[in-house]
Amino acid sequence: MNIIKTEIEGVCIIEPRIFEDPRGYFFESYSQRDFEKEVRVIHFVQDNESKSSYGVVRGLHFQRPPYCQSKLVRVISGAVLDVAVDIRKGSPTYGKHVSCLMTGENHRQFFVPRGFAHGFSVLSEEAVFMYKCDNFYHPEAEGAIAWDDPALGIDWQIPAEHVILSEKDKHHQVLSEIENPFDYNSDLY
């Protein structure tokens, strides 16, 4: 696998080695040994999958300690713009974001560490999105930031009038208004 480091430490893009022939293709989508050697030591405990249509924006979500999560995300089919926002107070990249275009054809994966808010927009007619988490979901620990927080400057690559949100995602506060539980100098793992 090819690891592409991003502008924010800890967030990376993973490109698998793809073997193609007239029958189709094969690639190893995850190897605990290689991931721990190249990215970080981690123990994933849950896999999730969602299907969404064009214009859906999910996010920006996170879980508060002690239930915070890292995510390893990928697209099975379609095209998604995935976004990770650094929300660790004291971080030199606090409030900055990294985005990654993932498609069913490029097979890229995006690693979002603990201490980041995460979201994605669907750019294709529909997309199937899959991700691994290193902690179980706890509703009482759920947190979120407004997808359109102007201070974050995220280009979701969808006109605002075409964005489709869940009822919950329509009502989140901007980053400067949330009670932030993440400290850059704390070990979130």
Side-chain angles (χ1 to χ4, degrees):
M1 65 181 168
N2 180 31
I3 307 297
I4 301 168
K5 296 188 181 202
T6 68
E7 306 84 50
I8 300 179
E9 183 182 349
V11 179
C12 61
I13 299 166
I14 301 164
E15 293 179 329
R17 288 181 44 207
I18 300 169
F19 302 92
E20 295 183 87
D21 65 26
R23 300 169 298 163
Y25 69 84
F26 169 85
F27 71 95
E28 189 175 82
S29 63
Y30 181 73
S31 162
Q32 183 86 25
R33 178 194 61 228
D34 294 347
F35 192 88
E36 289 185 353
K37 179 180 171 191
E38 300 293 332
V39 180
R40 72 164 299 117
V41 173
I42 201 157
H43 179 70
F44 290 114
V45 297
Q46 182 174 322
D47 282 2
N48 300 315
E49 184 175 303
S50 68
K51 180 179 177 182
S52 304
S53 58
Y54 172 78
V56 167
V57 173
R58 296 182 188 258
L60 294 158
H61 305 142
F62 61 90
Q63 283 203 167
R64 292 178 176 85
Y67 304 110
C68 44
Q69 294 177 323
S70 294
K71 295 177 181 174
L72 179 61
V73 301
R74 70 186 182 109
V75 170
I76 306 298
S77 65
V80 160
L81 182 73
D82 204 78
V83 177
V85 179
D86 187 350
I87 58 172
R88 301 167 297 166
K89 284 196 171 183
S91 166
T93 53
Y94 177 78
K96 305 273 189 240
H97 72 277
V98 176
S99 61
C100 175
L101 176 63
M102 296 185 301
T103 70
E105 287 75 39
N106 71 18
H107 305 290
R108 284 180 156 188
Q109 296 183 64
F110 194 48
F111 179 67
V112 181
R114 294 178 178 188
F116 286 74
H118 170 255
F120 66 89
S121 60
V122 178
L123 307 179
S124 54
E125 188 173 322
E126 68 178 29
V128 176
F129 184 83
M130 185 254 163
Y131 57 104
K132 296 180 164 307
C133 299
D134 72 338
N135 207 344
F136 295 105
Y137 171 70
H138 290 270
E140 69 278 8
E142 191 175 74
I145 301 164
W147 71 279
D148 59 350
D149 181 342
L152 301 179
I154 299 170
D155 177 3
W156 293 98
Q157 299 183 14
I158 297 173
E161 65 271 15
H162 294 293
V163 169
I164 302 167
L165 300 168
S166 70
E167 199 53 43
K168 205 164 34 168
D169 282 347
K170 292 178 183 176
H171 304 288
H172 299 308
Q173 297 174 305
V174 296
L175 179 58
S176 63
E177 295 173 345
I178 67 164
E179 184 180 325
N180 191 326
F182 300 106
D183 179 0
Y184 178 69
N185 296 310
S186 295
D187 182 9
L188 297 173
Y189 289 89

